[in-house]
Amino acid sequence: MVRQARILAQATSDLVNAIKADAEGESDLENSRKLLSAAKILADATAKMVEAAKGAAAHPDSEEQQQRLREAAEGLRMATNAAAQNAIKKKLVQRLEHAAKQAAASATQTIAAAQHAASTPKASAGPQPLLLQSCKAVAEQIPLLVQGVRGSQAQPDSPSAQLALIAASQSFLQPGGKMVAAAKASVPTIQDQASAMQLSQCAKNLGTALAELRTAAQKAQEACGPLEMDSALSVVQNLEKDLQEVKAAARDGKLKPLPGETMEKCAQDLGNSTKAVSSAIAKLLGEVAQGNENYAGIAARDVAGGLRSLAQAARGVAALTSDPTVQAIVLDTASDVLDKASSLIEEAKKAAGHPGDPESQQRLAQVAKAVTQALNRCVSCLPGQRDVDNALRAVGDASKRLLSDSLPPSTGTFQEAQSRLNEAAAGLNQAATELVQASRGTPQDLARASGRFGQDFSTFLEAGVEMAGQAPSQEDQAQVVSNLKGISMSSSKLLLAAKALSTDPAAPNLKSQVVIGKKINMTDSINQLITMCTQQAPGQKECDNALRELETVRELLENPVQPVNDMSYFGCLDSVMENSKVLGEAMTGISQNAKNGNLPEFGEAISTASKALCGFTEAAAQAAYLVGVSDPNSQAGQQGLVEPTQFARANQAIQMACQSLGEPGCTQAQVLSAATIVAKHTSALCNSCRLASARTANPTAKRQFVQSAKEVANSTANLVKTIKALDGAFTEENRAQCQAATAPLLEAVDNLSAFASNPEFSSIPAQISPEGRAAMEPIVISAKTMLESAGGLIQTARALAVNPRDPPRWSVLAGHSRTVSDSIKKLITSMRDKAPGQLECETAIAALNSCLRDLDQASLAAVSQQLAPREGISQEALHTQMLTAVQEISHLIEPLASAARAEASQLGHKVSQMAQYFEPLTLAAVGAASKTLSHPQQMALLDQTKTLAESALQLLYTAKEAGGNPKQAAHTQEALEEAVQMMTEAVEDLTTTLNEAASAAGVVGGMVDSITQAINQLDEGPMGEPEGSFVDYQTTMVRTAKAIAVTVQEMVTKSNTSPEELGPLANQLTSDYGRLASQTKPAAVAAENEEIGSHIKHRVQELGHGCAALVTKAGALQCNPSDAYTKKELIECARRVSEKVSHVLAALQAGNRGTQACITAASAVSGIIADLDTTIMFATAGTLNREGAETFADHREGILKTAKVLVEDTKVLVQNAAGSQEKLAQAAQSSVATITRLADVVKLGAASLGAEDPETQVVLINAVKDVAKALGDLISATKAAAGKVGDDPAVWQLKNSAKVMVTNVTSLLKTVKAVEDEATKGTRALEATTEHIRQELAVFCSPEPPAKTSTPEDFIRMTKGITMATAKAVAAGNSCRQEDVIATANLSRRAIADMLRACKEAAYHPEVAPDVRLRALHYGRECANGYLELLDHVLLTLQKPSPELKQQLTGHSKRVAGSVTELIQAAEAMKGTEWVDPEDPTVIAENELLGAAAAIEAAAKKLEQLKPRAKPKVSPVPLLLPPHHGSCLHSPASCGLQGQG
């Protein structure tokens, strides 16, 4: 750290000199002054950093000095950024421009590759339609990105252009990421290898380009962020200027539509952009209120972006409108929106600087309201919308008659009024049906239908008012008027819903069903009025009401392409079955009661039949929709972040409840009812906000949802207080307070609804294919036939109720009844036959069986060595294909299981998606096996692929049986879980094999993809509530990051010595980074604040890019080990990765400085304990000598004072576990410093006792070692309990650790006081030992497994120490000498602790059976307890020596010996019957003999390999040899040749 500080100081010194030189050469005095000021600030920051570096160098172990150096370095970084801000910003923007160009080019190439792949055979199957859809979304973003680059290059100093480029880049990331994922999913399903490889490569390039774009955009955003508000204002002002030009062109008649613009598209875009602007305004208000300028700037940018879309759409609408008046109105209202939005951003900018100023907040709210009103006016100018507004005005004007105190008396008769009311009701009901149909049609249809609806409503209201005039009493008249008001409100809601749907006919979220729902409510209201106002024969009104209800629900069957309700498919089937029974009984009742003249019962039967038919129709329509959606060719809808209709419904209900609270005549019952409604809906809204906040990955949306929920909850709480006061006393003052309290709640709910209406949060509607529509037909036709016959049946029954003696009508009734029954039977049969997913399961099962047959044939060919190598493709390409297919399969396992449990409509999709990957997987597996030279590897690859296919087949059979029916899934749950587990394991096994093979061959493409995917997932998916605390994630991430650093270092080493071993290390690096990335998202969510979480995420992403580069270089070097340049690059990449690991660790440390200090402190305490162990070894050996003539008394006071300081530090440490991170860090550092001093002073005290008393020295050092160990446990417990609540188990553990710490410090103090007391020091040592053994026994009995395991031999070896310690304890008890007692205490402590540790480690060995483990642990506990009793008895004997007590020592020792015997037997059981005692003399002798035999056998083999030495060629000249050499010619052995070889 200090070395880096020195380098940094030199660099900043150079920078200061460069800035001064620039300032001297600057002609502008102002610029020169600014440069000199920046240089001074930078020089001051450098001086501070140098001072801090000196402090850290002087005290290298001081955490405080290191922290000061970090803070100084951070200050210097900020000063450097400020000094070189413009240069840095320019460099970052240029880098972003380059990255944006690369991304646009890569995206264009990927789109071309995708379109080419889609033109190949079988292109329509599988995920390729999704790929083309994502290509379309990216293609829309590319021009905006290119435009942003050109704008930034054309105006390099323009903040607005730079921010536009950043916004375009950030908008490009999400669709680009989706396209990469869709491309990768499509690659295995493309048969043409060239197309597949091209698409795979393009997707890989795009992924890399997106990663670079993401990093560049983040850094540019940090540099340019503060200018967002000014930029947004500039954008809006430019839009105003552009719109003025458009208005001028419209006045001159020169305004033409752009290519591709249609009225429907422009109107839809105008509606969507209005919602986006409303949502962004709500977000802006929330961020400004919190004083968060950064997020307020982003919200302002979103407002400007929405207004750009709105201006474009308004221009399109005006250009496509032929009426000049309408053109002018559209453009004027859009111009008004822009003008008011400009004022809004200016006010927001002022208010952001004064977050607590109520006046600025109030002004901002008023301007925002003006913008919202202007937006509403703008949308109302759309064709069709004006006519709906006219109809709404007509309904409102007509309804004013109901507000007068008295109604005019009726001039006609009751029968005339009744007839007119019936006719008007029928007309209004028909007009409502036409309005529902027109809301999904053209603007002209809507205009016509809304005009007729307004007229028919006026006619109906006149007839209703006339009927009210016929009422015999004031109460009856008031009831009629109340019903008419209800119908008026229902009519207004229906018109508003139709208006909303017409602006966005493709919108999801049940919008069309909302419209139908409003119509059903209106029909019910009309029926109630007719029932009350008409006097007919019993049963007649019920028939009329039923016919109106059937006419209303018939609309559900006209085009069931959207969900009707939340029922599942099997829920629909159950509903149909149940309603069919009710309908059957009701039809019987209708017939019998009509025949017998029981008219009241006849009316009840008609009402029952009507309800059953409505429920039946709803269920049939929902079932038809689910059948259509479940077809694999259909595209299932995707659920949005929120359900805007739920927010709208809640908003409406809350408004009505608040309105009723404000009415003067509100009764107590009405007040309580209103309070209940408010509480119910606000609670639902807050829950929805909480879920949306957890699911979104957008930080600004997350914050806004949380803030909105808080505002709604707070205003609801205030309203409830005033309601309670009103309930206690109905005074005018309480009413006024209650009404005033409703205003903040309504405002908060309005803002939340506006924010939730953002199209970004909406669901994506399902797209039902022609095949899906064909599958729906039988259900829809049966339901329609049933409904028509039921209508005829009710009409016929109505006539028969008046005249039961009409035989022809009875036959007609029987015919209708038969048709209804037959239709119901057909419907139920169709629903059972068309159960979603069953056909797809059968098809997939057949496909998998075919794949298994191919694999079996390949295996047989491989066994007989006849598997011909596949030509035309490389081994690497085949492995890549297999890996891609296996990854896609693994992503589908859990979704398929979820669909099988309870989502029948998704089952067919998931099954088809999974099945389509097995054919390419099988082909690639057979091809890869054919190119594998090793026969075992061939068979392993084929067998593992076959295992995966078999497990998938099992999952498909189970899924088919479960069928998405929750009732059926309950029986198949266990089988389903088992199948999922088997398949997951098969995927993991095959993936491991492929990765190992790839790494061994130097193929790293799959690893780089895995790292890239892990990086992208940090930004893509939303994150729910984290399961653990930040400390848990921090600990795991630190461990993983350090493991990455170790792997990187090994890679550097192997690059020089064994490049062929780089593959497995790269594989290890990939898996370690995957684990680190998976922990990063929850850690970021659980971090102390959002900034820290974001910083951690960015650092981990940067590390990922470095890891990907390192893995790539490792693969290149493995393929070409002699390439010195690649080796150099690998070492450079490794250096960068190590540096980025340190950045990740620093970010984690900044996230929780306190817990990081605890980790450091625990490590330091471990070092102290190890040092004390070494000191004990010296003391035991008698070499711990005193220095000079010092005595223990010289150190006693220092030990006692330091121990007391440690107790105080411990208290502070425990208290700060729930406090701030800063205080916790200080407490941890202070406690470590104190224990270090205490250990040093105790060591000096022990040395002062002299080497002649080693046992007492060991007792004293053991006492401080116990304190250090307890402190280490306490620090670990504090780290685990940091930030936890009082009832958490970690807090309970902390309290226990604190108690142990206090006990051990007390024990140390007692030991210190007794050290020089010859009469008690043995007794004290024995007490300390028994306490230590009890603590070790508590650890032994805890359920936590040991850190490592050991063998039974180690365990048996440790039991021998107990035998010696027991003998020593008995001897000490008999002699009662203090020296013997001290020696016993030291030996016992070591022997029992070693035994307990070895027992637990051996018991938890993976090969030990559970019953043997329990037995070993039981006797280990028994042995320790027996030994404790023995020591307690020795202690008692020391205090009160007597022959009786000494005799009892033998009994205690026998109990210990018995436990030891049982322990040895348990250890023998651990090894099974084949285990033998390694120290048995027989075993030793046998091993020696076996070793000798092995040596003899080896020598014999060497002799066999010996060959006679080649004879020399005979020379023609006779050789004269000395006499003693002559024997060599005849006997080689005599010359020693026998032993050579």
Side-chain angles (χ1 to χ4, degrees), residues 479-661:
Q479 189 65 41
V480 173
V481 169
S482 175
N483 277 343
L484 287 171
K485 283 180 180 177
I487 294 167
S488 170
M489 188 175 285
S490 299
S491 301
S492 299
K493 288 178 186 175
L494 175 60
L495 283 166
L496 287 170
K499 180 181 177 183
L501 179 60
S502 69
T503 56
D504 191 4
N509 308 318
L510 310 181
K511 267 197 177 174
S512 61
Q513 266 58 45
V514 169
V515 176
I516 295 169
K518 304 292 184 196
K519 180 179 180 289
I520 291 170
N521 292 340
M522 197 182 86
T523 303
D524 290 342
S525 301
I526 292 172
N527 285 347
Q528 287 175 7
L529 180 67
I530 298 293
T531 301
M532 188 179 73
C533 294
T534 56
Q535 292 179 353
Q536 292 176 334
Q540 299 298 298
K541 286 183 290 189
E542 287 81 355
C543 288
D544 291 342
N545 290 348
L547 289 170
R548 271 191 294 271
E549 286 170 358
L550 295 187
E551 185 64 33
T552 299
V553 295
R554 191 191 306 277
E555 184 67 29
L556 295 174
L557 297 170
E558 290 305 317
N559 192 21
V561 292
Q562 289 186 325
V564 177
N565 48 44
D566 296 330
M567 276 199 290
S568 67
Y569 187 80
F570 292 96
C572 293
L573 184 57
D574 291 342
S575 176
V576 165
M577 298 285 286
E578 190 178 332
N579 281 310
S580 64
K581 287 178 188 173
V582 173
L583 183 59
E585 293 170 3
M587 282 164 59
T588 306
I590 289 169
S591 177
Q592 287 178 351
N593 291 316
K595 191 179 289 183
N596 299 332
N598 296 331
L599 296 184
E601 288 82 354
F602 170 80
E604 287 177 14
I606 289 287
S607 298
T608 305
S610 175
K611 284 179 186 171
L613 286 164
C614 290
F616 196 101
T617 307
E618 276 192 27
Q622 175 73 358
Y625 165 76
L626 293 174
V627 165
V629 166
S630 66
D631 186 272
N633 296 304
S634 299
Q635 290 180 24
Q638 294 178 20
Q639 187 182 5
L641 199 60
V642 294
E643 189 64 71
T645 48
Q646 180 205 355
F647 282 71
R649 281 197 298 268
N651 191 353
Q652 195 173 29
I654 291 167
Q655 281 181 351
M656 291 176 67
C658 290
Q659 188 179 342
S660 67
L661 283 172

Side-chain angles (χ1 to χ4, degrees), residues 328 396 866 869 1085 1174 1255 1259 1293 1421:
Q866 293 178 350
V1085 174
T1174 307
E1255 297 294 349
V1259 167
Q1293 182 62 39
R1421 191 165 54 249

